[in-house]
Amino acid sequence: MNIEILEKSLTKEPKFRLTQIKKALFQELIDNWDDAKTLPKSLREELKKSCPLEINAKILNDSIGTRKALITLSDNTKIEAVLLSHIDNRNTICVSSQVGCPMKCSFCATGSMGFIRNLNKYEIIEQVLFFARLLKEKNQKVTNIVYMGMGEPFLNYENVIESIKILNDNNAFNIGARKISISTCGVIEGIKKLSNENMQINLAISLHAPNNILRDKLMPINKKHRIEDILKAVDNYIEKTNRRVMFEYTMIKDTNDSLKNAQELSLLMAKKLYMLNIIKYNETGVFKSSSDKRIKDFMQILHDNTVKLTLRHSFGSDIDAACGQLATK
Ligand code: SF4
């Protein structure tokens, strides 16, 4: 599928056609142009040739509440996306923003793939569309989106923002901005730009270390964007938007999970609109996950220091589908 061609095919059509097409594609979730009844037959025939609607994807793994899909794009590159189904009927799609990732975080499977290219806005949307069609069969809908799959979203800023506009558009997916989250490893220019967008989306920072020495080892971007500079950009973002910011901290055994690390983290995180999300590490080979006992003790220290925090069991850890751990093997 290559929806990008679509806009080019419509240059001679009246403007309302695009609205009709968006409704057919993203609300009715048609997978065959014959079903786009609001369009003239001649246009449907043309679109069948120029813009086929099949998505080249297969489900790689299926576990309770979690499905991972491998999508092959028109240039044969491959990306992964994940559907996380929650018991309260929420369905979150974790989307990729790049093929691979240039950031090389040492604990991340995607990082070890290297970087291939940015996704265009429709390739990001295609991931949501694939799962939206699957959910339709069960009378369910996509309710939440997290930009937490392959890639660093702020290195593909324009396409990510344009894709969010389609997700948010009430003629398209109509997903509320507050249900959409972008997770960055700390690209300061991206945080600054986002604070000027006037969008109600959520910002998350992948922190994973409480000091620069350790973060330098885990996340090479830290050599460019130091923790104190990231936090300064976050504070400016909060001042402008008055929105809460989530920090993600994955617990890696004997690496970032000492009780001293918990004390250091407490000093960074004890701020009014900071929220900490502790994540159980999804083991990918080199590193191991902290024990449950260590996670409990670590969290207790944070709690005693009045840090607002939650524990997230790494969704889909049984299918390699946790945060930043997608990779086309
Ligand atoms: S954790 Fe995120 S930013 Fe780091 S290498 Fe993986 S995908 Fe890229």
Side-chain angles (χ1 to χ4, degrees):
M1 185 169 170
N2 187 347
I3 321 176
E4 207 176 17
I5 291 173
L6 189 62
E7 282 185 9
K8 290 174 194 148
S9 319
L10 292 176
T11 44
K12 289 190 217 112
E13 295 290 328
K15 277 207 169 134
F16 65 84
R17 285 275 180 256
L18 189 60
T19 307
Q20 289 176 324
I21 287 177
K22 277 199 270 183
K23 282 190 173 165
L25 278 182
F26 304 134
Q27 291 192 346
E28 293 156 31
L29 301 170
I30 58 158
D31 54 12
N32 184 332
W33 285 113
D34 286 332
D35 296 333
K37 301 291 184 211
T38 50
L39 305 182
K41 192 162 187 298
S42 56
L43 180 59
R44 279 186 261 155
E45 291 304 321
E46 202 184 308
L47 289 171
K48 269 194 217 172
K49 287 183 217 131
S50 64
C51 183
L53 293 181
E54 291 81 33
I55 296 176
N56 186 354
K58 61 177 179 183
I59 298 286
L60 288 180
N61 274 306
D62 212 342
S63 76
I64 300 166
T66 319
R67 281 178 179 190
K68 180 162 67 166
L70 178 74
I71 299 178
T72 304
L73 302 170
S74 53
D75 64 352
N76 249 344
T77 53
K78 295 178 197 313
I79 50 167
E80 292 182 358
V82 181
L83 162 66
L84 310 162
S85 296
H86 312 262
I87 37 175
D88 57 1
N89 281 337
R90 278 179 306 127
N91 290 298
T92 300
I93 312 293
C94 174
V95 293
S96 295
S97 54
Q98 298 182 309
V99 187
C101 181
M103 291 310 199
K104 296 187 170 39
C105 301
S106 58
F107 53 86
C108 170
T110 312
S112 64
M113 281 177 67
F115 173 65
I116 299 170
R117 68 172 175 87
N118 279 336
L119 297 182
N120 68 42
K121 61 182 174 183
Y122 289 123
E123 289 169 329
I124 298 172
I125 290 299
E126 193 173 324
Q127 302 166 58
V128 180
L129 189 55
F130 173 72
F131 283 116
R133 287 178 184 175
L134 276 190
L135 287 167
K136 187 185 168 194
E137 290 166 17
K138 295 195 284 179
N139 278 331
Q140 289 193 28
K141 282 186 164 183
V142 174
T143 58
N144 298 64
I145 307 288
V146 290
Y147 286 76
M148 221 180 254
M150 297 164 71
E152 162 51 55
F154 284 158
L155 293 186
N156 187 14
Y157 189 89
E158 302 306 331
N159 286 309
V160 164
I161 295 296
E162 287 305 310
S163 67
I164 290 173
K165 287 180 186 162
I166 299 173
L167 295 171
N168 199 213
D169 183 348
N170 54 14
N171 286 316
F173 285 96
N174 198 17
I175 296 172
R178 286 164 188 263
K179 306 275 163 102
I180 299 172
S181 305
I182 297 185
S183 173
T184 176
C185 63
V187 177
I188 288 177
E189 300 82 13
I191 299 171
K192 283 184 184 161
K193 274 194 196 169
L194 189 66
S195 57
N196 293 322
E197 289 289 351
N198 201 16
M199 282 176 143
Q200 302 278 302
I201 55 177
N202 305 305
L203 173 66
I205 310 288
S206 296
L207 190 63
H208 308 306
N211 62 62
N212 284 318
I213 296 170
L214 179 54
R215 201 165 189 266
D216 281 350
K217 287 185 197 149
L218 293 175
M219 305 177 78
I221 188 178
N222 199 65
K223 297 203 172 81
K224 184 173 175 205
H225 298 304
R226 314 299 283 165
I227 292 177
E228 57 278 15
D229 297 330
I230 296 170
L231 297 186
K232 203 168 148 197
V234 167
D235 290 343
N236 287 337
Y237 169 90
I238 290 174
E239 208 178 299
K240 278 194 176 162
T241 63
N242 202 28
R243 294 191 64 73
R244 205 175 64 166
V245 172
M246 178 73 82
F247 290 84
E248 291 149 0
Y249 194 98
T250 300
M251 296 289 290
I252 309 173
K253 186 173 192 266
D254 298 333
T255 302
N256 64 356
D257 67 346
S258 72
L259 301 184
K260 182 171 173 276
N261 291 152
Q263 291 289 359
E264 289 175 293
L265 190 57
S266 300
L267 291 176
L268 297 181
M269 290 292 105
K271 284 196 188 165
K272 196 170 147 223
L273 288 177
Y274 282 17
M275 180 86 197
L276 183 64
N277 194 4
I278 297 287
I279 304 166
K280 199 166 159 47
Y281 181 58
N282 175 19
E283 295 181 4
T284 54
V286 186
F287 294 102
K288 298 278 170 236
S289 170
S290 307
S291 67
D292 288 348
K293 162 96 176 57
R294 175 48 60 99
I295 293 175
K296 192 168 165 251
D297 294 345
F298 193 93
M299 289 181 70
Q300 188 60 51
I301 291 174
L302 290 154
H303 184 74
D304 292 346
N305 284 297
T306 67
V307 174
K308 291 175 278 308
L309 76 165
T310 54
L311 172 66
R312 190 174 83 211
H313 282 282
S314 196
F315 251 123
S317 55
D318 47 343
I319 62 166
D320 291 352
C323 158
Q325 290 171 51
L326 301 182
T328 52
K329 293 195 177 93

